[in-house]
Amino acid sequence: MDARVFLTLIVLGLSVTPVKAESKSPPVHETEQRAREVLHEWSEECLSFTGVQGEILRIDYDDVFQQQKHSVGTFGYLGPQYGFFRYNPAPNQPDPDSLKKAPDGSPYEYKEGFSEEWRWQKSWIRSIDHREKKYEEFRIIKRPQTESEPKWYDFGRYFSEMDNMAPVLPGVPNQANFDEFISDSYLQVIRENDTHIWIAGKPKNRRYAALFNEFKLHLEKRPWRLRAVQYIHPSGQQSTVYLFSNVEFNPLEWEEPDLNGYQNLNDQPIVARYPENAERQSFQKKAGSQQSGSGSLMDWIFHLLF
């Protein structure tokens, strides 16, 4: 099958809006039960996979400005704090007929995709710009857990682990995190045929709902394989689709990029939990002295933390 046709089928499947139960449709509880059965079977089938690496196509949609971006790259996961995503703009523009359509039928405007790399390196997070030969580095400082649910804006916790940014990956490398994520989500089968199934879900947990208010999974049957996942942003007017290919399970440990000659823009701590009172004020003062004026996304998160 032509790659463009296959891409169109995947995106159309993910674009299906969940339907309400009607007389000719299965009751909602049946579609939810079917979704949970499928995801449980997939999880069970992947019990031997503890890591994953492969290629990724990222498609970003902006329904406000009616724009679409394509980025291509690679990803890897060997643990919550040991993984990476690397993206570059897609080398070829998509066929205009494959672009998302505006309400008036015109195709979305195509814009150049992202050029960025994010790496979780055990005690560090690095955001690397290979074009400009510079990077931002953030130390992960863990604080004691509390019994209370984290505040919705506790972005330090979200960004400290790759799992929070990508809770669903091919091969289910983190079984415990995936099972918790699925059990704490509303689910519904929105489409199924002999070879594929599409499942929509809404997270109940506030820490995920702060990042996306809906997700959609496209799985291939026999054996179960995740082909694509879509996250719909909280505004409901932007979404991101990730399509996976050339996936390798239980890969060897990869080499980290050589950053000799790269400029380190900042060195700031990422804190998963606030320290208490006086310790927090002392830590805030110390961390504030390390801030730079780079104005990056991570700088914005850092300011939210403190």
Side-chain angles (χ1 to χ4, degrees), residues 129-240:
D129 184 340
H130 291 284
R131 286 180 172 179
E132 300 292 331
K133 290 188 177 298
K134 58 186 180 182
Y135 66 96
E136 295 180 89
E137 194 168 77
F138 304 88
R139 290 175 288 118
I140 301 172
I141 299 178
K142 289 189 175 182
R143 295 296 176 186
Q145 294 284 330
T146 64
E147 295 181 358
S148 61
E149 178 72 14
K151 295 180 180 180
W152 70 270
Y153 55 80
D154 188 1
F155 282 99
R157 178 178 178 181
Y158 305 151
F159 281 81
S160 66
E161 295 187 354
M162 185 176 174
D163 285 336
N164 295 323
M165 304 303 299
V168 184
L169 287 172
V172 194
N174 189 334
Q175 290 277 333
N177 186 75
F178 174 77
D179 291 343
E180 179 184 5
F181 173 70
I182 292 303
S183 65
D184 207 17
S185 297
Y186 300 103
L187 298 171
Q188 182 180 1
V189 173
I190 54 176
R191 184 180 176 189
E192 182 174 9
N193 57 34
D194 291 339
T195 57
H196 297 81
I197 188 170
W198 289 262
I199 296 173
K202 292 181 70 69
K204 302 176 187 177
N205 192 305
R206 286 181 293 172
R207 79 172 188 260
Y208 288 117
L211 298 174
F212 51 89
N213 64 12
E214 187 176 348
F215 61 92
K216 297 178 183 178
L217 310 177
H218 170 205
L219 293 115
E220 186 175 8
K221 302 178 179 179
R222 294 184 293 275
W224 291 112
R225 292 291 183 264
L226 179 68
R227 302 305 304 271
V229 58
Q230 178 185 35
Y231 298 105
I232 299 173
H233 303 183
S235 67
Q237 296 178 316
Q238 287 85 28
S239 64
T240 303

Side-chain angles (χ1 to χ4, degrees), residues 274-284:
Y274 282 129
E276 294 297 328
N277 299 329
E279 183 185 358
R280 172 180 175 179
Q281 295 175 3
S282 173
F283 186 80
Q284 177 179 356

